[in-house]
Amino acid sequence: MATTHDFPSDLLAGQEELHQVRAELSALLKRLPWSVEPLDGFSDDNGWRKVERPASPGWTADEQAEVEKLRQREHELAVFVSTHRFWAEVATAERADARMQVKHARES
């Protein structure tokens, strides 16, 4: 049976914010055109499946800045969570399971 851990509040808050930032970034990327730079559309059926893309107007400077801001924050939070001092207290054999538990702590 897996050990239940008492995660520090700052680790839980960092993990929760990481989930939120990743969700926000994912939603933003789904709304944006497929290409950062303006490009013509294309159709290619020479591969194992047909690929089609409409013309892309590209991303505005504000959209590029927002994506960069979210990616930077995602990186900062991922580093914070993965290098948190708490992990040194967890036995090596239990660490992978504990890391999965903190990722799903909000679901409990």
Side-chain angles (χ1 to χ4, degrees):
M1 185 171 144
T3 305
T4 302
H5 298 278
D6 187 21
F7 297 110
S9 61
D10 64 329
L11 176 58
L12 290 171
Q15 182 64 57
E16 179 61 27
E17 187 179 351
L18 180 57
H19 285 308
Q20 292 169 357
V21 167
R22 284 182 172 161
E24 189 176 340
L25 179 58
S26 177
L28 176 60
L29 292 172
K30 286 178 184 176
R31 286 194 313 269
L32 292 174
W34 63 271
S35 174
V36 177
E37 300 295 326
L39 287 174
D40 293 333
F42 67 90
S43 179
D44 181 7
D45 57 3
N46 293 324
W48 63 277
R49 67 182 175 106
K50 186 174 184 175
V51 178
E52 292 183 311
R53 294 275 191 255
S56 172
W59 298 358
T60 66
D62 288 344
E63 290 167 337
Q64 290 180 42
E66 182 66 15
V67 168
E68 181 59 30
K69 181 181 112 185
L70 289 170
R71 285 182 173 157
Q72 180 63 35
R73 187 62 182 148
E74 177 187 30
H75 176 70
E76 292 167 0
L77 289 164
V79 169
F80 172 78
V81 169
S82 64
T83 62
H84 194 280
R85 66 190 175 281
F86 172 78
W87 302 119
E89 302 170 12
V90 180
T92 303
E94 297 175 9
R95 207 167 286 154
D97 185 57
R99 287 182 186 267
M100 290 305 295
Q101 285 180 27
V102 79
K103 287 180 184 180
H104 298 285
R106 70 180 177 167
E107 298 168 5
S108 303

